[in-house]
Amino acid sequence: MASSSHRAHARLRTTPLAVVTGLVAAVLMALTMSGTLSAFTASIANANNTATTGTLLMREVGTPGATCYSNGAESASVSSNGNTATCTSNNKFGAGGTLKPGTARNVPVTISNVGTMDAGTFTLANTGACVPGKTGDTSGTATDICSKITLVLTQGGTSVYSGTLADLGARTTPISLTAVPAGQKADMVFSVTLDGAAGNDYQGLTATVPLKWTFTA
């Protein structure tokens, strides 16, 4: 049997080991519970993440200078009417004058893109057939006036349409035009001519084709 002095000596050797083991366990537990381990970090925060929509706005200036906007406003401001308007002040075929056989009447029209985004396409389409009419009781009796008036439409000096008003009113596809970037314009000329062989039966008659310009983006 070991003596009491031997047992006391053994306890002295094992005590420091137990103490160290206990301290290590306590430190690990403390780190696990508090999560105070340090680390290097780097970060960037962005607060101004904003998506912005563009505007597509058309302006028409006819002869003698009436101005119309696609939003129906008096100036280039956004409205909630669907961005489509009816302009009755610009007559692309007459411009305040009358036709006589064989003589062309040229009517300039400027279409501008006053929005903030480019137009991907630009078209001109009829919204109805050519409608003949009379100016009064002294008008002629001819009924085919729409077939007797020819239109040549140019954009920037290049012809984009040539045909009678009857043909224009019967079109089922829009006339494709050169698209207009934001802040730029298209110079159009409507050249209308009454058939040179038209006689007195064509006096005092009218031919009307409703048209619509369209930008898409």
Side-chain angles (χ1 to χ4, degrees):
M1 180 179 294
S3 64
S4 59
S5 61
H6 181 73
R7 289 194 299 273
H9 183 66
R11 286 196 299 272
L12 289 175
R13 289 200 305 270
T14 58
T15 297
L17 180 60
V19 171
V20 171
T21 301
L23 289 174
V24 170
V27 170
L28 290 175
M29 182 177 293
L31 290 175
T32 301
M33 296 297 290
S34 64
T36 57
L37 286 173
S38 298
F40 294 135
T41 63
S43 63
I44 296 176
N46 298 120
N48 297 323
N49 302 304
T50 304
T52 303
T53 63
T55 59
L56 193 61
L57 187 62
M58 181 186 295
R59 179 177 65 199
E60 179 187 60
V61 179
T63 301
T67 299
C68 300
Y69 287 91
S70 60
N71 61 4
E74 293 297 326
S75 60
S77 59
V78 176
S79 66
S80 58
N81 69 340
N83 207 18
T84 183
T86 299
C87 182
T88 59
S89 54
N90 289 330
N91 181 354
K92 300 175 184 63
F93 299 157
T98 56
L99 297 174
K100 63 181 182 179
T103 302
R105 176 171 293 280
N106 298 320
V107 182
V109 177
T110 299
I111 302 295
S112 301
N113 181 353
V114 293
T116 61
M117 62 170 49
D118 296 343
T121 64
F122 177 30
T123 60
L124 178 65
N126 66 314
T127 58
C130 181
V131 178
K134 296 184 177 184
T135 59
D137 294 336
T138 60
S139 299
T141 58
T143 59
D144 60 346
I145 183 64
C146 289
S147 298
K148 295 298 182 178
I149 298 178
T150 300
L151 168 67
V152 176
L153 174 63
T154 60
Q155 179 179 5
T158 300
S159 177
V160 293
Y161 175 81
S162 180
T164 66
L165 295 189
D167 294 334
L168 179 62
R171 281 183 67 95
T172 58
T173 58
I175 300 170
S176 295
L177 306 171
T178 301
V180 184
Q184 298 194 27
K185 65 179 182 177
D187 292 319
M188 319 295 298
V189 176
F190 289 78
S191 180
V192 289
T193 305
L194 175 62
D195 189 334
N200 287 333
D201 284 349
Y202 292 91
Q203 292 189 47
L205 302 182
T206 62
T208 303
V209 182
L211 299 174
K212 182 179 182 179
W213 306 102
T214 300
F215 284 159
T216 60

